[in-house]
Amino acid sequence: MAIRNVVKEGDPVLNKVCRPVEKFDDKLKSLLDDMYETMTANDGVGLAGPQVGILRRLFVIDIGDGRLEFMNPRIIKTSGVQESSEGCLSCPGEFGITRRPMYVTVEAYNREGDRFTLNAEGLLAKAICHENDHLDGILFKEHVIRMEKN
Ligand code: NI
């Protein structure tokens, strides 16, 4: 595994729409391993492909309950609302209160290419929405109600 450079806000790679993952091969597995290591080394709870310069629809999340990986995710249902503090490894030192769904249902593929469905709530739901946005070139600031002072 290797720690990769995290792309910062201002780099146009963060504003691109990503393409689907097509090959569930060893290269994908080592990318996912690197992304997880990069995320944890930076004390993040999620990291999406474009944040390491990979314009593919994938992200990793660990909110403290273990490692989750999503390829070609689709959020198929949302409900409820939560307003809470949010940040992004691509926007270091910046935090804001966002409005997000409290519950999401997401369909995605795991690293073996098997489809799964996950129901998430709270912080995990927020993280899934945040990372999924990265795949469409959207940063969390578009959901911020008000920025927080450091
Ligand atoms: Ni982010």
Side-chain angles (χ1 to χ4, degrees):
M1 294 210 285
I3 294 174
R4 300 200 183 195
N5 187 44
V6 177
V7 175
K8 300 301 190 299
E9 187 183 20
D11 189 317
V13 80
L14 292 175
N15 304 116
K16 306 264 196 246
V17 175
C18 297
R19 291 168 292 155
V21 173
E22 286 163 359
K23 291 184 185 161
F24 292 81
D25 54 8
D26 287 346
K27 195 177 161 194
L28 174 68
K29 293 177 177 68
S30 71
L31 169 63
L32 289 166
D33 290 344
D34 284 359
M35 286 175 63
Y36 186 77
E37 189 175 6
T38 303
M39 180 189 81
T40 53
N42 287 283
D43 296 320
V45 298
L47 193 69
Q51 294 182 278
V52 290
I54 305 293
L55 288 171
R56 292 285 179 176
R57 304 193 75 82
L58 79 174
F59 55 77
V60 297
I61 286 176
D62 189 342
I63 60 162
D65 295 338
R67 176 173 173 171
L68 298 170
E69 298 171 342
F70 302 78
M71 265 58 69
N72 302 335
R74 278 198 319 131
I75 294 174
I76 56 172
K77 193 175 165 200
T78 66
S79 62
V81 178
Q82 58 178 321
E83 292 182 2
S84 59
S85 182
E86 193 165 327
C88 178
L89 292 180
S90 293
C91 310
E94 296 189 88
F95 298 90
I97 304 294
T98 59
R99 187 174 286 134
R100 299 281 196 182
M102 179 60 85
Y103 303 95
V104 306
T105 301
V106 58
E107 275 184 4
Y109 293 81
N110 67 17
R111 62 165 57 201
E112 308 300 337
D114 299 318
R115 193 164 77 167
F116 65 92
T117 303
L118 179 71
N119 295 306
E121 66 175 274
L123 176 56
L124 182 55
K126 177 167 70 169
I128 288 168
C129 292
H130 177 120
E131 301 311 328
N132 195 60
D133 274 351
H134 273 298
L135 309 182
D136 292 314
I138 297 167
L139 295 179
F140 81 101
K141 290 177 183 177
E142 296 194 28
H143 296 276
V144 165
I145 303 163
R146 61 181 182 278
M147 292 301 289
E148 295 175 292
K149 295 267 185 282
N150 290 325

